[in-house]
Amino acid sequence: MSTRLHKGKMWPTLFLTALSLLGWSGKTFSQTTQNTTAIQGTSAENLAAETPTLDNATLDNVIQYALKHQPLIQQSVIDQRVVENTIKSKLADWYPQINFNYNLQHNFIVQTNIIGGNPVKLGVDNTSAAQFSLTQSIFNRDLLLANRSQNDVRQQASQSVTNNKITVAANVAKAFYAVLSTKQQISVAEGDIIRLKKSLKDAKSNYDAGTADKIDYKRVTITLNNTMATKASNEELLKARLQALKSLMGYPVDKPLEIAYEPTQMENEIALDTAQKVEVQNRIEYQQLQTLKRLREADLNYSKWAYLPSVSLNGAYNLNFLNNNLGDLYNRNYPNSFANLTLALPIFQGGKRKINTNTAEWQIKRLNLDIVNLKNTVNNEYQQALATYKSNLGVFLSQKENMELAKEVYDLVQMQYRSGIKTYLEVITAETDLRSARINYYNTLYLVLSSKIDVQKALGQLNY
């Protein structure tokens, strides 16, 4: 409702009255400013900056790089900033809304009316008006909802960022281990190729000297060719897995990425307490549902508040210029001003309040079932992840022992072959067993580490 205030003297009174009715102390604005500065993430300038590269691509460095440069994380940070600005926009409605309007009008035919039986012109040829208006919301349920739910809305945006970080970190770690597994297979093949080339040279010399037939020579050649083919295949697989890791990291696809790792240290990291119990409260998904539930409850209260009145304070000061001569229009002003307090009270809304309240209650009940379902899902997820981890750990320990035994057998057979006790076929068999044991050892090592990540994720222990 438009109102007008007397020129000059009543403006301070109007502002002080509005602020006192609101109980305004600047707290909301100060808190909003502090929360804005606390938002996680990089600035717009950093997001637009050139993506750097990694010199020491350890697992921790790779994960931290992904948390800064992965597009999904950057989008989450941007969404969080948008939410913060939306909150500020909603809370800005608590501030006085000041506006200015200007109008200039020329009447080609001035309106005429009959007064006392005589025609009388109502107005002049030229009019102009300028209006300064102020509207101050004192109370309404929209502003009440925005003020009470702002912290939960912020937390919801923050939890979304955290959830995406956990997902990205887990995926990056698994991709990292997949790259290591392939690199280790290539490394094993390279060692085998060196030994096989030496054996091939020895077999060729023995064949040329007539001390051995060509079967040994050809067997070595076949084994060497197979090993080189396996190595070439793994090198192509490594390229694909490196690109997959770069994609998950948000790393430049045309830049090199040298993985740094220490197998001994990784073997020391496979240990995990398997007696831990699931605490669903630690899961970010549960925390998100709890935040969403509080927001649903705020919506329920909002629907119940439909009977509450809206109170606002309005005021305006108008400058009115009237003259038949356009050149003299602004020579004289006929101002007016006034103010009013408006109270709007809903009396009957066709049952809308009851319907909306009922809908909000059903939404909360449905959300409670989502929480129950999450608890069941988390427990099942943990049991499966734990079973996979224990299975992989058992296989790893067996493969570690097999690798040590295969190395002993190979060294013994190699020595006996050179002494003429064993045939070269037995050497090839021992070498094949050793190569398989080494590959299985490293494969199961990375499988154990990957399944450990799944267990930690199920327990809610991945925090970023």
Side-chain angles (χ1 to χ4, degrees):
M1 181 180 295
S2 176
T3 59
R4 293 172 171 78
L5 192 64
H6 191 272
K7 181 179 179 181
K9 294 182 179 181
M10 291 189 64
W11 283 104
T13 304
L14 178 60
F15 275 96
L16 291 174
T17 302
L19 295 180
S20 63
L21 288 171
L22 282 169
W24 191 270
S25 63
K27 179 179 179 181
T28 302
F29 177 75
S30 175
Q31 183 179 8
T32 301
T33 304
Q34 292 174 3
N35 286 326
T36 302
T37 59
I39 294 180
Q40 301 174 356
T42 56
S43 64
E45 292 79 5
N46 290 334
L47 293 176
E50 182 179 356
T51 305
T53 58
L54 274 179
D55 296 328
N56 185 28
T58 62
L59 177 59
D60 289 339
N61 290 343
V62 165
I63 290 177
Q64 292 303 320
Y65 184 98
L67 296 182
K68 291 181 180 179
H69 301 96
Q70 221 285 339
L72 177 63
I73 303 299
Q74 293 181 336
Q75 288 175 337
S76 299
V77 173
I78 291 174
D79 291 341
Q80 189 178 14
R81 292 180 178 274
V82 171
V83 167
E84 182 63 29
N85 286 335
T86 302
I87 293 173
K88 292 172 64 177
S89 176
K90 295 292 185 182
L91 295 178
D93 290 338
W94 282 110
Y95 289 94
Q97 309 297 308
I98 303 175
N99 296 290
F100 172 77
N101 295 310
Y102 171 79
N103 176 60
L104 174 63
Q105 178 177 322
H106 172 72
N107 299 312
F108 293 99
I109 301 176
V110 178
Q111 181 181 354
T112 301
N113 202 347
I114 303 298
I115 300 178
N118 299 314
V120 179
K121 288 187 175 182
L122 301 179
V124 295
D125 293 341
N126 303 293
T127 64
S128 181
Q131 181 189 66
F132 294 90
S133 63
L134 177 145
T135 300
Q136 174 63 68
S137 293
I138 297 176
F139 177 84
N140 67 57
R141 63 176 183 147
D142 291 327
L143 297 180
L144 186 60
L145 175 66
N147 190 49
R148 291 193 175 184
S149 63
Q150 57 176 308
N151 291 332
D152 287 328
V153 173
R154 286 193 184 94
Q155 187 172 22
Q156 186 181 48
S158 177
Q159 288 171 342
S160 179
V161 175
T162 301
N163 187 34
N164 288 333
K165 284 184 176 181
I166 291 173
T167 300
V168 167
N171 292 338
V172 166
K174 291 182 179 181
F176 183 88
Y177 291 139
V179 169
L180 288 189
S181 176
T182 307
K183 284 178 68 70
Q184 204 60 53
Q185 291 184 44
I186 294 173
S187 178
V188 170
E190 289 173 345
D192 291 341
I193 289 172
I194 293 174
R195 288 196 305 271
L196 288 170
K197 285 184 177 180
K198 183 179 182 301
S199 297
L200 180 62
K201 183 178 179 180
D202 293 341
K204 183 67 166 61
S205 298
N206 293 335
Y207 173 70
D208 292 340
T211 58
D213 57 27
K214 60 181 180 180
I215 293 178
D216 291 347
Y217 170 70
K218 289 186 176 181
R219 281 174 173 166
V220 177
T221 302
I222 293 171
T223 304
L224 178 60
N225 290 339
N226 290 337
T227 304
M228 294 179 66
T230 301
K231 176 176 175 291
S233 176
N234 285 330
E235 287 174 342
E236 294 301 319
L237 179 61
L238 177 61
K239 294 178 182 178
R241 288 184 169 178
L242 270 174
Q243 289 302 322
L245 177 59
K246 289 180 180 180
S247 176
L248 290 171
M249 293 172 59
Y251 195 87
V253 295
D254 58 340
K255 301 295 183 181
L257 180 63
E258 294 297 330
I259 300 298
Y261 62 99
E262 178 54 53
T264 303
Q265 180 183 355
M266 289 189 172
E267 184 175 338
N268 295 333
E269 294 176 353
I270 65 175
L272 178 68
D273 182 8
T274 58
Q276 299 178 83
K277 300 298 182 181
V278 179
E279 297 291 342
V280 69
Q281 295 83 358
N282 295 332
R283 289 288 295 264
I284 185 62
E285 296 90 342
Y286 179 83
Q287 297 167 16
Q288 287 179 300
L289 287 177
Q290 289 297 321
T291 302
L292 182 57
K293 183 178 179 179
R294 290 194 297 271
L295 291 173
R296 288 282 187 266
E297 290 170 347
D299 289 339
L300 174 60
N301 289 332
Y302 177 79
S303 298
K304 291 180 178 179
W305 295 337
Y307 68 89
L308 294 177
S310 297
V311 183
S312 62
L313 187 64
N314 305 283
Y317 179 78
N318 294 315
L319 304 174
N320 295 300
F321 302 93
L322 309 170
N323 204 301
N324 286 320
N325 188 354
L326 183 60
D328 298 328
L329 178 61
Y330 294 102
N331 289 343
R332 190 171 182 181
N333 176 30
Y334 302 91
N336 71 300
S337 63
F338 51 87
N340 72 354
L341 182 68
T342 302
L343 183 146
L345 180 63
I347 297 176
F348 178 71
Q349 300 171 316
K352 181 182 294 186
R353 172 178 170 271
K354 183 177 180 180
I355 294 172
N356 292 340
T357 300
N358 187 256
T359 300
E361 289 174 345
W362 281 113
Q363 288 177 336
I364 293 176
K365 291 180 181 178
R366 188 184 189 282
L367 189 59
N368 288 333
L369 293 176
D370 287 337
I371 295 175
V372 173
N373 183 59
L374 177 65
K375 291 179 180 179
N376 296 332
T377 301
V378 167
N379 184 68
N380 180 57
E381 181 182 329
Y382 171 68
Q383 294 299 329
Q384 290 188 0
L386 185 61
T388 302
Y389 169 79
K390 289 181 177 180
S391 175
N392 290 335
L393 180 60
V395 174
F396 166 76
L397 295 176
S398 298
Q399 293 302 326
K400 181 180 180 180
E401 182 180 3
N402 289 344
M403 184 180 68
E404 295 171 351
L405 293 174
K407 181 66 170 62
E408 293 179 7
V409 170
Y410 173 78
D411 291 340
L412 181 60
V413 171
Q414 184 73 11
M415 181 179 63
Q416 291 176 338
Y417 169 74
R418 291 174 180 175
S419 301
I421 300 176
K422 296 291 186 180
T423 64
Y424 194 72
L425 176 60
E426 293 176 285
V427 175
I428 292 177
T429 301
E431 185 165 6
T432 301
D433 291 342
L434 177 59
R435 181 171 61 254
S436 298
R438 284 176 171 171
I439 291 175
N440 291 338
Y441 166 79
Y442 289 112
N443 283 344
T444 53
L445 172 61
Y446 301 130
L447 283 175
V448 171
L449 291 171
S450 294
S451 57
K452 179 182 176 181
I453 291 174
D454 290 333
V455 174
Q456 292 175 321
K457 185 179 179 182
L459 290 170
Q461 295 177 348
L462 295 181
N463 299 311
Y464 295 95

